[in-house]
Amino acid sequence: MVAKGKGILAADESSGTCEKRFQSVGVDCTEESRRAYRGLLFGTPGIEQFLSGVILFDETARQKADDGATFPAYLAKKGIIPGIKVDKGTVDIPLAPGEKVTEGLDGLSKRLDEYFKMGCRFAKWRAVITIGKNIPTHSCLYANAHALARYAAACQAASIVPMIEPEVLLDGEHTIERCEEVTEATLRATYAAIAAYNVFPEFLILKTSMVVSGKGNPRQAGPGEVAERTLRVLKRTVPAAQPGIVFLSGGQSDESATAHLSAMAATKGLPWPLTFSYSRALQNPALNTWRGEAGNVAAAQKAFHHRARMNSLACQGKWRPELEKQAA
Ligand code: 13P
């Protein structure tokens, strides 16, 4: 999953999220249009050079590529590891205004056994932490950390690699200092629970948000500062025994997500490889080019290939802005 020069495509948007993304480019969101779009991404010629894995949504894991293979089998044939989103989304935490906890633990072991049979070899669970006035609270961090750890233990028992994703949202006017403090508290709570539930760090992938300025804060930190603060937090909290760390893009611009990753990956002496596991920052240009038209498929694939290649360079610390202009 963290092989050199490769990263992970998050294509596990729920049908509701997919609807929002499709609406933004005027595409009807149906089972078939979702299948066609995912088929476009996975079928991009040469994409396996840059992707070690793809995270699928339940519906997609049961759909077929144009050649008749199920999507997990299709990806595996290309040497890409199929993964699966197994959480069931977030709900409000009672007595904790503005805070969410992720559901999906009931019946999880059974679902994992089925996903393993379908060919999925890693799974994802996303927890959402919001920064605001007096939040996150201890109860929010605690509830989400325990859910993540219980999910991770269930995955390891089912021979599926857990990818734990505690996402600190970038929405808000908070400073980067506040984001650093909250990210550290979130990861401390998460890893305390990981240890409490006997989860093996050796078979665990962290998918984390980066430490960035709140979207609405007038002072936007540059890549050097984002890298320094993010790495400080990760070094303080993530066991060196872990095989790797991947990042979500979280609503950053495509190029910022790439620049931030490259700045971090260029840092020498880290105990783990770092790479991308982006949804929006990999897919935006492809979706905007496709717009639901069969005639745009080749151009959309080219746009997707370009972003994947830029992020492949970034996870080796080799991306530079001028490379954006260079054809493959
Ligand atoms: P973004 O890269 O768009 O944040 O999505 C990653 C993801 O998997 C969110 O759960």
Side-chain angles (χ1 to χ4, degrees):
M1 290 165 72
V2 288
K4 189 168 179 231
K6 293 186 181 184
I8 291 167
L9 166 67
D12 60 328
E13 302 84 2
S14 64
S15 304
T17 303
C18 213
E19 173 124 41
K20 271 190 253 157
R21 305 263 160 89
F22 277 22
Q23 252 172 18
S24 72
V25 293
V27 176
D28 261 359
C29 192
T30 64
E31 207 176 318
E32 177 47 30
S33 63
R34 292 191 289 269
R35 190 200 70 83
Y37 176 61
R38 265 73 183 248
L40 173 164
L41 296 176
F42 310 160
T44 297
I47 203 68
E48 61 276 14
Q49 274 175 270
F50 313 123
L51 295 185
S52 58
V54 171
I55 317 172
L56 302 167
F57 187 58
D58 180 87
E59 175 189 86
T60 320
R62 298 172 195 281
Q63 288 177 323
K64 291 186 173 149
D66 288 340
D67 71 356
T70 63
F71 277 130
Y74 178 84
L75 290 167
K77 260 192 289 183
K78 288 188 114 174
I80 299 174
I81 310 169
I84 183 85
K85 169 191 173 76
V86 299
D87 67 71
K88 298 231 166 177
T90 58
V91 292
D92 291 342
I93 303 181
L95 308 182
E99 299 194 289
K100 306 264 183 204
V101 68
T102 305
E103 292 193 318
L105 290 171
D106 289 355
L108 177 60
S109 296
K110 241 193 213 149
R111 289 195 289 130
L112 288 169
D113 288 343
E114 189 193 2
Y115 287 136
F116 187 90
K117 285 191 195 121
M118 289 162 65
C120 301
R121 293 294 177 264
F122 72 98
K124 185 192 102 173
W125 179 288
R126 174 173 178 255
V128 178
I129 309 297
T130 304
I131 301 181
K133 195 165 180 269
N134 301 324
I135 60 171
T137 60
H138 175 70
S139 23
C140 170
L141 297 185
Y142 185 88
N144 278 296
H146 280 251
L148 279 166
R150 286 184 58 194
Y151 138 82
C155 286
Q156 290 188 347
S159 302
I160 287 183
V161 173
M163 175 187 272
I164 52 172
E165 184 186 15
E167 174 174 1
V168 176
L169 296 179
L170 58 74
D171 304 323
E173 292 176 2
H174 53 269
T175 60
I176 190 168
E177 287 81 1
R178 175 87 175 119
C179 180
E180 181 172 346
E181 185 182 286
V182 170
T183 306
E184 183 169 340
T186 300
L187 291 175
R188 278 194 193 287
T190 302
Y191 280 98
I194 284 294
Y197 285 89
N198 304 314
V199 175
F200 293 93
E202 288 82 357
F203 309 108
L204 176 67
I205 296 287
L206 170 68
K207 173 162 176 165
T208 182
S209 40
M210 299 175 193
V211 174
V212 291
S213 309
K215 212 174 187 168
N217 190 289
R219 190 181 87 80
Q220 291 293 311
E225 185 176 355
V226 168
E228 186 189 332
R229 290 181 184 275
T230 305
L231 292 176
R232 177 160 56 220
V233 169
L234 293 174
K235 282 194 233 168
R236 284 183 174 188
T237 54
V238 182
Q242 237 184 248
I245 298 176
V246 301
F247 293 97
L248 59 96
S249 59
Q252 298 180 34
S253 74
D254 305 343
E255 230 176 281
S256 299
T258 307
H260 292 159
L261 174 62
S262 196
M264 287 189 274
T267 307
K268 302 257 180 293
L270 299 175
W272 350 255
L274 307 176
T275 192
F276 57 91
S277 176
Y278 299 156
S279 159
R280 284 164 285 180
L282 274 175
Q283 294 184 38
N284 283 336
L287 184 61
N288 285 320
T289 308
W290 176 54
R291 298 182 175 271
E293 301 287 336
N296 294 338
V297 166
Q301 288 181 326
K302 206 167 154 210
F304 177 51
H305 186 278
H306 176 75
R307 279 276 37 91
R309 189 167 66 87
M310 291 299 106
N311 284 298
S312 163
L313 290 166
C315 73
Q316 301 171 74
K318 293 180 182 164
W319 177 86
R320 295 186 313 282
E322 52 280 17
L323 295 172
E324 288 288 340
K325 309 272 169 324
Q326 236 175 53

